[in-house]
Structures are given as C-alpha cells and as structure tokens.
Amino acid sequence: MADTSTMVETTITLTINGQACTGQKGQTILEVAEANGINIPTLCRHPWLTNHGACRMCVVQVENERRLVTSCAAPAVDGQVVTTHNEHLSKLRQMSLELLFAERNHICPFCPATGNCELQGQAYREGITHTRYDYIFPVLQPDTSAPYFVQDHNRCIVCGRCVRACNEIVGVGTLNFGHRGSNELVIADLGVPLGESSCINCGTCVDVCPTGALFEKRQPYFTRQPEMERKLAICPDDDLGCAMAVLTKSGLVARVEGAEEAPVNGPLLSWRSRYQLLEEPYQRVLSPLVRNAAGVLEPASWDEALDKVADGLSVGLQAALFDGAMAPVAGLCSGRLPSETLEAFHQFVTADCRSMMVDTLRGDERRTQRAARSLHEGYRECDLEAIREADMVLVVGFDPMETHPVLGAWLAGLQHHQQVPIVSINARQAEVAKQANLALKQRRGSAQAVILGMLCQLLDMAQLTRRTDRETQVRWRSHPPDRVAVEAGVPAEDIIRAAELYAQAKRPVILYGPRLTGIGNPTVIGLLWEMAYFCGNTTADGAVRVRGFHSEANAAGAEQIGFRGGADLETAQAIYLLAGDDPFEPLPQLREELEAAPSVVLQASHLGPLTEYADVVLPSLTWSERGGSWVNVAGLVQSFAPVTSPPAGVLSDEQVLARVRARLAERQVATPMEAVDE
Ligand code: SF4
Ligand code: SF4
Ligand code: FES
C-alpha cells in the first residue's frame, strides 16, 4: 500500500471565495488558487521566473490580515480564508492599471502587441473604459540598437520580467532598473544602448515581456498568439540539443520562442535558433536543376535530372561492377539531419553505390576525437550536468559564444552568479576570451605546448592525485612554462596562473570544440583528458570532467550510424552531397576536390555556397519540414515531428534517394537491397 503519510503532512486546505481548496506546503496563495481553477489577475508574475511582487494586480484579502496580500508572493497557509474578487479589490486593480496606462504612452492601436498584450487584456477584463488620471506623456526614445529586437520604454510597465529573465534564465544580467519612481526605466548594463551592452541577443526578455515594450524587429506586428499553432523542434545549429517552440500560422513559421519543457536548455535559446534560422538568404530549390552545356543551372524535369544523376554515378559504379571493387563514389551528408535521414543516406552510399566513402560534411571533427580515443583508451567524457556545476571552466580552442551560444550563456551565468573563473586558450579572436578572467592567445598551432606547460606546472605544484608513469612525467616536464612562453607567444605567468586556477577548483571542467577537433590534433584532446584524470577531476561515475562539442547537431547520431568514411575525395569519380538546409561553406581543399570531380550531385533546400560545384541540384527539406530523432553531445535522443509541410512538389530526402536508387536499378548498375518503395 502506498505511504500517504508524507502527502498528508504536506497537504494544506484553504478556503478561497468560499470554496475549499487543497494545495501543498510551499505553494503561494496564487498557485493554490490556480490549481483549484480560481483565476487571480497577474502582470509581473511569469511561470518561468521568481516572483517580484511589483504590479499588485494579484492582491487578495486574507481573513485576520490587516493588509492586502500579494498572492503571487505570499505563502499559502493551512486554514487561510481568502477572498480574490470583490468590489474593493476590483477598484484597486482598476486604479493600478489606470496608473500604468497614464505613466507611459500606451496608445494601444499603434502598439505591436495590441491584441496580444497582457496589460490591455487585464484592462478589458477589469472593465476599464478610460483612465481617471492625466497621461504624463513622457518623452522616451525607443532603443533600436540591438540587432533583432526593439526596446520601447513608452510601453514598459516596469514589471521586471525582462530583468529577472536576463538574470535568472540567461544569467548574463545585462538588464537592470535605472532611475526612480515613475521615471524608472529598464536599462542595459550601466545605461548604454542595448546594441553596445553585454546583451547576447538571446531574446528571452522579449519572450516574457507582457506588453509591446520589447518586440522583434522581424515581426513588429505580432500575430495573435491564440491563432498560432505551437510545436517543438530541435535547433539544428549545434550539438547541445536545444529544443525550441515554433509558432506557425497558416502553415508558415511565424516565430520561435523558448520552451520551458525543453530538457537541455529550458526556455533559453540563442540568437541563432530564435532569429537566424528564420532568415532565408538564398533562393529555395523547388524542382530539379541541371547544368546545361553553357555551364548554367536550369530547371529540368525529374526524369532529366535523374538521368543526369545516374550518368554521373554510373561511371564509378560500372567500374566497380566490372572489378568487383568498391566504387569511387563519395557521399557527404549534413550532420544536422535526423538519424533516420542519415541512415537512409548511409545505406544509399554503402549499399546502392557500393562505396565506403561516406561521411558528414564536418566529419573531420569526429575523426579527430575518434583518433584521440584510439590513442588514449578508457577515457569517457562528462555529461552536461558537470558543466552546470563547474567551479572553474577551461575553454580550449573553442568559442562557445559563437558556435554554441546557449552553452556560452551558461558560462556567462556561472561567471555572473557564482563568480566561476573562465580561462580561455585560443589562438583566434574569440568572444569567450573577451569575457574570460584569463585569456591566453597563443600562436596558431601551439595549443598543445600551452597545455603541456600547464601540465608541467601542475606537476611542479604537486597537484596530481593519481600516479603517472615516468615517461609521461618526462614528457610534461620538458615543457616548463618559461620555455612554452617563447614557443607559444604567451606570458609564462599566464600559463602558471591558468594552472593555479585549475588546481584551486574542486570541479573544474575543460571544454573544447569544433576548432580544436577540426584542426585534427588528437594529441591535444588526449592531454586534456590526462589533465582532468591525473588531477582527480572525474565525476562520481568515473568520467573525466572534459567535454568536446561539434558543429553538427546530430554528430553523435552520425557516429552511431557509422559515418566514419574519411572520404578520399581525390579519387572520387562522383560526389553526392546531401546538404539539406545546412549553410555549410566548403574549405579550400574541398572546393578543389569538388571542382576536380567529374560529377557532383547536390541535394539541397536552397541555392548556396555548394551550388556552383553541382552538375545536378535536387530539392530537399528545411529544418522546419523535417521530423525524426537527433542525438545530442551527451547522448540524449530527442524526437520531433515536422513543424511545417514542404512546398508542393518538394519530396523528403528519403523519397529523393529512393528515386535515384530506382533509376540506378533501371540501368542495372546498382543492386538495391530492397524493392524501391517511395
Ligand atoms: S536578449 Fe537576452 S541577454 Fe539580451 S537583454 Fe534580453 S534576456 Fe538579456
Ligand atoms: S520591458 Fe517588458 S518585461 Fe521589461 S519591465 Fe518593461 S514591460 Fe516588463
Ligand atoms: S502578479 Fe503579483 S504583484 Fe504582480
């Protein structure tokens, strides 16, 4: 039988408006009322945030209390008798609302939030037809300096939601209050324009603003929220695994918002997912394109395009049929795509094209990590929780503010709220270096020397808690900080200071990312694992407090499926690129290889940097049209349904691959695993 004693102890009963209401100890009066279906008006309260008690809309009368109580902040007490609505309370709420209207320039018909504004909504509900107070009509200049949203003090009710969101959810603490009384304003940093402030453009403040005081530049006219459909989707821009709420109207994406239920990021999003994903800098590919004799891509029928694809692939495939060897066909696929599409592509290349040259567009990042794992067996990297609880962060060759902005916000939050020191080791100009407590900008290619310098210093400081062999010690000792300083071009005292900060911390975490893995030096990764391991910085389950990140949202999924080709594109007779909507920019070497390949097929949703190399372009889906599963950097699998439908005639990637496979089978150059079924 279930033990109900704890439940009984924590259950409380209140009488609200004559109705017996049960709740739990620790809840506020407002929470108990809401849980029992009783509505109390609110304005400054937001479910994502702590309570502020600023607007007094939620005031209630509690029997035997001499003063009115703000129900959003007052704890519910067993036996309380509460009144939430009567004439007196209604008059007070009306007065509060009228004062809010009179203090600023709320001209509702000209406000971007009209119809979707909580202030306006409350005014209607309280039956306000006009204000009894003179409008002050203050002269307040909107701040348009931020790239994606506007702050208009004219519509601000100083509820503080944005200030709390910036502090509590984001952690950067850009927003604050300035001035006093009715002149009180929400300011950025010490009163600078938002565009010049520490704001990271995450837009969380815009999400929580109840009025039109913060609105997106892209969407000055808000579509009314109730008319929108809301679905969750993955942010395809990095492998942290951030989920976001996508609001659609008439089948089109209207806006992206934070989602409290997102398991990794909660309501926090980056400017990339919230704003950049909605931009469409290139033209959509709606039907096949084939390069003509004059070298120009022109619209073609599916039949013509599939023939051209089969022509290109057949050269390599026929050679392989004759030899019984692997075909010189290479397949590169965006690692942003869901596992189901990656699997279909992997099978297409390995089974239908009989080639093992299959990888993701940024497969070099995973290759370097894989090489490190084979050189240094037995290390396992920590989960994301270890980052959230870190008391020191060492960021090596990685700029999370740029490539993984939500992770960057976590670091900013750790630094802002818990004074967690951040040390950056980066040869490039990096945003994280600007925020770091200590930034080492070494010469390119000398990150390894700097890490060895730190290890030498840690050894000298007797900071190792695990025994190292003599050979390892000799290797580390051969890199004293003063010698590394000359080689790497960073002051020896900075290397020593970095080692000291690392040694002083109890739960330091080391983060590295695409830049470090992309340059292909597995030794550096191995040294980071050794640093954590030999200094005893492991989690309870034995993982080293080190975590590497990738640019591709489903890099871990691709690795599980077996994208390990290390495609040697120089020998490829044909290259098949499944890019989807990946804004991938090829590096010079890949450009050369694409130029040299006799045949290049591109499956992409938009024209873009890869188009110029393609002989045939086939349509593909965008992020909002895809459904499937993604595996994040820590192994979390998340599945999402498509948010929008593709335009008429645009097929799924699997359907396009099936058409190509069928055409190859017709030519009898491929032996499909199964009968083709779109
Ligand atoms: S966009 Fe984000 S960081 Fe900038 S002020 Fe708003 S909540 Fe703060
Ligand atoms: S800008 Fe919006 S969220 Fe911030 S205090 Fe003003 S009304 Fe409230
Ligand atoms: S909602 Fe309670 S004081 Fe504003």
Side-chain angles (χ1 to χ4, degrees):
M1 211 171 115
D3 177 13
T4 53
S5 56
T6 333
M7 201 186 291
V8 172
E9 267 173 33
T10 58
T11 301
I12 52 174
T13 306
L14 285 72
T15 305
I16 305 180
N17 299 341
Q19 176 187 332
C21 299
T22 53
Q24 298 296 311
K25 266 188 192 164
Q27 284 186 306
T28 61
I29 295 174
L30 180 75
E31 284 164 350
V32 175
E34 283 180 345
N36 287 272
I38 295 169
N39 176 267
I40 301 176
T42 59
L43 264 182
C44 67
R45 176 210 186 221
H46 191 282
W48 298 350
L49 305 168
T50 57
N51 291 317
H52 184 41
C55 72
R56 295 191 60 78
M57 282 300 293
C58 67
V59 285
V60 295
Q61 286 175 340
V62 177
E63 203 172 84
N64 300 326
E65 286 278 348
R66 291 174 60 198
R67 296 186 193 144
L68 293 174
V69 168
T70 46
S71 62
C72 69
V77 178
D78 193 42
Q80 266 174 337
V81 179
V82 179
T83 303
T84 66
H85 289 80
N86 60 26
E87 203 183 329
H88 177 58
L89 289 170
S90 183
K91 283 214 166 99
L92 279 173
R93 288 184 186 128
Q94 284 177 357
M95 186 183 74
S96 301
L97 287 165
E98 286 174 43
L99 284 169
L100 286 175
F101 274 98
E103 279 172 358
R104 295 287 158 96
N105 301 313
H106 294 281
I107 319 293
C108 295
F110 300 98
C111 175
T114 192
N116 192 33
C117 170
E118 293 181 41
L119 176 67
Q120 190 186 41
Q122 294 292 10
Y124 279 132
R125 278 189 286 279
E126 293 300 327
I128 293 176
T129 53
H130 63 285
T131 65
R132 288 163 289 168
Y133 309 101
D134 287 340
Y135 263 71
I136 297 175
F137 292 123
V139 178
L140 295 165
Q141 201 60 31
D143 181 351
T144 59
S145 62
Y148 299 109
F149 60 88
V150 174
Q151 183 189 25
D152 187 351
H153 301 288
N154 291 293
R155 278 116 189 196
C156 179
I157 56 171
V158 203
C159 66
R161 284 190 189 180
C162 55
V163 175
R164 280 172 285 151
C166 192
N167 258 290
E168 296 169 13
I169 299 174
V170 192
V172 298
T174 298
L175 298 180
N176 220 317
F177 296 108
H179 311 285
R180 299 241 160 220
S182 64
N183 292 327
E184 192 168 26
L185 292 180
V186 172
I187 58 168
D189 295 337
L190 295 173
V192 298
L194 263 166
E196 295 166 24
S197 72
S198 58
C199 169
I200 58 168
N201 298 304
C202 67
T204 315
C205 52
V206 183
D207 268 358
V208 299
C209 180
T211 69
L214 287 164
F215 63 90
E216 292 179 4
K217 284 183 176 172
R218 180 180 177 271
Q219 201 187 19
Y221 162 69
F222 289 1
T223 310
R224 285 170 195 241
Q225 217 86 345
E227 294 167 13
M228 297 209 219
E229 209 184 325
R230 179 185 185 273
K231 283 187 189 164
L232 285 198
I234 194 88
C235 169
D237 261 341
D238 61 54
D239 65 341
L240 196 61
C242 296
M244 53 198 189
V246 184
L247 276 66
T248 59
K249 190 181 178 196
S250 310
L252 298 173
V253 176
R255 57 184 299 194
V256 170
E257 291 184 348
E260 196 181 13
E261 65 270 43
V264 175
N265 54 311
L268 176 59
L269 289 179
S270 73
W271 53 274
R272 286 250 201 77
S273 8
R274 197 185 289 271
Y275 305 115
Q276 206 185 46
L277 266 184
L278 307 190
E279 290 168 6
E280 213 171 337
Y282 296 106
Q283 191 186 325
R284 183 83 199 245
V285 177
L286 294 168
S287 58
L289 303 169
V290 170
R291 201 169 291 282
N292 64 20
V296 179
L297 279 175
E298 59 180 18
S301 68
W302 270 100
D303 225 31
E304 290 164 331
L306 289 170
D307 267 343
K308 183 94 175 175
V309 174
D311 288 347
L313 294 177
S314 296
V315 180
L317 285 169
Q318 264 157 356
L321 274 182
F322 184 71
D323 285 351
M326 299 309 280
V329 174
L332 289 177
C333 174
S334 167
R336 292 158 59 109
L337 305 181
S339 296
E340 293 77 0
T341 311
L342 292 180
E343 262 177 29
F345 186 73
H346 192 269
Q347 189 171 24
F348 169 74
V349 178
T350 55
D352 299 301
C353 299
R354 293 189 306 286
S355 168
M356 290 312 289
M357 289 200 281
V358 57
D359 210 341
T360 59
L361 290 167
R362 302 171 189 82
D364 49 347
E365 295 175 10
R366 286 178 295 106
R367 249 195 318 281
T368 308
Q369 238 184 357
R370 219 179 300 129
R373 256 183 254 121
S374 66
L375 288 172
H376 306 264
E377 283 176 8
Y379 290 112
R380 190 163 45 81
E381 295 192 343
C382 62
D383 59 18
L384 301 178
E385 203 42 48
I387 302 174
R388 307 302 297 263
E389 64 180 31
D391 60 354
M392 185 268 176
V393 185
L394 176 63
V395 191
V396 184
F398 179 31
D399 190 0
M401 273 64 180
E402 178 60 30
T403 62
H404 292 65
V406 167
L407 174 64
W410 288 359
L411 301 192
L414 283 171
Q415 192 184 40
H416 179 67
H417 286 299
Q418 294 162 44
Q419 288 72 53
V420 169
I422 297 175
V423 175
S424 162
I425 297 177
N426 202 320
R428 294 164 183 264
Q429 295 290 353
E431 270 307 306
V432 69
K434 288 187 205 156
Q435 301 202 8
N437 302 66
L438 178 63
L440 283 73
K441 189 168 182 294
Q442 77 279 11
R443 289 197 188 100
R444 290 207 179 176
S446 49
Q448 184 173 329
V450 175
I451 302 299
L452 280 164
M454 280 183 71
L455 284 164
C456 177
Q457 182 63 24
L458 288 164
L459 202 56
D460 277 355
M461 288 158 49
Q463 286 300 324
L464 306 193
T465 58
R466 290 187 168 109
R467 286 176 69 85
T468 49
D469 57 34
R470 212 181 128 57
E471 195 189 325
T472 304
Q473 291 200 13
V474 169
R475 186 161 47 102
W476 294 356
R477 283 213 191 280
S478 65
H479 287 78
D482 51 353
R483 190 183 303 165
V484 171
V486 177
E487 181 186 339
V490 289
E493 53 270 28
D494 283 359
I495 299 171
I496 294 168
R497 183 73 193 126
E500 285 171 351
L501 285 169
Y502 186 77
Q504 284 158 9
K506 291 193 168 48
R507 299 175 306 281
V509 71
I510 304 174
L511 308 178
Y512 64 93
R515 287 247 185 266
L516 195 67
T517 48
I519 58 170
N521 186 348
T523 310
V524 183
I525 298 173
L527 288 174
L528 300 179
W529 291 340
E530 286 180 348
M531 185 185 293
Y533 179 77
F534 287 111
C535 290
N537 292 320
T538 48
T539 59
D541 65 352
V544 285
R545 290 186 185 271
V546 181
R547 172 50 71 184
F549 290 86
H550 307 92
S551 323
E552 297 185 312
N554 203 13
E559 190 70 11
Q560 285 173 5
I561 291 165
F563 279 82
R564 292 162 194 205
D568 179 9
L569 302 185
E570 272 183 25
T571 62
Q573 291 294 312
I575 300 176
Y576 198 111
L577 301 164
L578 171 48
D581 59 350
D582 195 325
F584 176 76
E585 301 250 1
L587 291 173
Q589 190 189 337
L590 179 57
R591 286 178 187 276
E592 275 175 29
E593 287 160 343
L594 289 170
E595 267 163 19
S599 170
V600 176
V601 180
L602 172 65
Q603 202 172 312
S605 64
H606 291 79
L607 301 180
L610 289 170
T611 318
E612 64 181 283
Y613 306 99
D615 300 297
V616 187
V617 181
L618 301 175
S620 177
L621 303 180
T622 64
W623 62 272
S624 65
E625 294 155 6
R626 293 182 188 288
S629 317
W630 284 260
V631 188
N632 86 340
V633 67
L636 175 73
V637 181
Q638 299 182 84
S639 301
F640 300 96
V643 170
T644 58
S645 303
V650 174
L651 306 174
S652 76
D653 292 312
E654 287 85 338
Q655 287 172 322
V656 173
L657 292 174
R659 285 193 175 186
V660 175
R661 181 185 299 137
R663 188 55 54 101
L664 291 175
E666 279 170 22
R667 299 229 182 150
Q668 297 186 324
V669 288
T671 48
M673 304 281 282
E674 291 164 10
V676 174
D677 180 10
E678 282 187 20

